[in-house]
Amino acid sequence: MSASPILITGGAQRLGRHCAERLRDDGHPVIISYRREREELETLRARGIVTLPADFSTEAGILDFIERLRAETPSLRAIVHNASDWAPDSRGDDAGANFERLFRVHMLAPYLINLHARELLEACSEPQRDIVHMTDYVVQKGSRKHAAYAATKAGLDNLTLSFAAMFAPSIQVNAIAPAMIMLNEGDDEAYAEKARAKSAMEMIPGPGVIYQSLRYLLDNRFVTGITLPVDGGRHLR
Ligand SMILES: NC(=O)C1=CN([C@@H]2O[C@H](COP(=O)(O)OP(=O)(O)OC[C@H]3O[C@@H](n4cnc5c(N)ncnc54)[C@H](OP(=O)(O)O)[C@@H]3O)[C@@H](O)[C@H]2O)C=CC1
Ligand SMILES: Nc1nc2c(c(=O)[nH]1)N=C([C@H](O)[C@@H](O)CO)CN2
């Protein structure tokens, strides 16, 4: 029997892409979802990573993705809810629409995918099956400029507890809560310096630390319902 794939949503770039490639290096079949077509997807496809288009900004888009996921695979080893929209708050007429979109991407999509894909995880013949929610350090702190982002990531963090209770003992459900892991295009040295100063570790570590954390959760048989902070000791500053 062939191994069941690991699904990473929003896996075409940055942390999701890094994890998809590292999992592939480790011999796992991998499926990613992506929203925007781009050249780099060909590199992933050439490595045998299955790429499914998905837009989680509407309920119809989420349900359509679930249908195509079911057509693609009869089972899953794990789901990593990585897709995310780091949109700043709007003060304009679109403030409500902005909040609702972030709610759908960060909460409704993981909620519906978990409910509908439970049987795909249950069908996995390996002893361990996992769901991992990518949340954020700001869940504990709030955010002056990204309040909708922080609130909907906090909702995702809470869903970790409910799904861990609902799906135990056959599926482990955990969250990873990163603080600054990678700079964005256009961030300058002054921004980087400020970002480094926020953590006790005084660095911007890059995506390897997220893969290490994911690997820990995928390999550990006795951890469920937790949020694993990956923040360089932000609480110490
Ligand atoms: N990078 C960091 O320092 C930190 C990251 N995190 C969390 O870690 C995870 C990965 O971070 P990072 O790699 O920086 O994230 P990115 O923002 O770079 O990538 C997220 C992916 O989500 C996809 N996406 C966005 N909106 C939608 C949508 N409506 N429907 C479907 N897919 C969508 C995007 O797809 P596409 O590109 O195809 O449009 C994108 O590739 C995220 O959950 C993030 O919140 C938390 C704290 C810090
Ligand atoms: N989906 C995303 N979420 C977050 C991003 C990002 O680029 N995409 N970036 C951050 C920042 O690095 C932040 O931690 C520092 O200002 C947070 N979330």
Side-chain angles (χ1 to χ4, degrees), residues 94-151:
D94 59 343
N98 190 54
F99 192 100
E100 285 182 358
R101 190 184 71 256
L102 298 194
F103 156 74
R104 284 189 283 271
V105 175
H106 296 145
M107 293 176 67
L108 189 62
Y111 178 76
L112 291 176
I113 292 169
N114 289 352
L115 291 178
H116 288 278
R118 181 181 188 167
E119 62 193 54
L120 298 184
L121 290 160
E122 304 272 11
C124 172
S125 59
E126 293 159 66
Q128 184 172 345
R129 309 87 188 264
D130 292 275
I131 294 173
V132 178
H133 295 158
M134 293 299 297
T135 64
D136 195 301
Y137 165 76
V138 295
V139 162
Q140 294 176 44
K141 205 173 166 269
S143 170
R144 278 191 292 268
K145 291 186 183 154
H146 293 81
Y149 168 87

Side-chain angles (χ1 to χ4, degrees), residues 87 136 192 211 227:
D136 195 301
Y211 184 67
T227 297

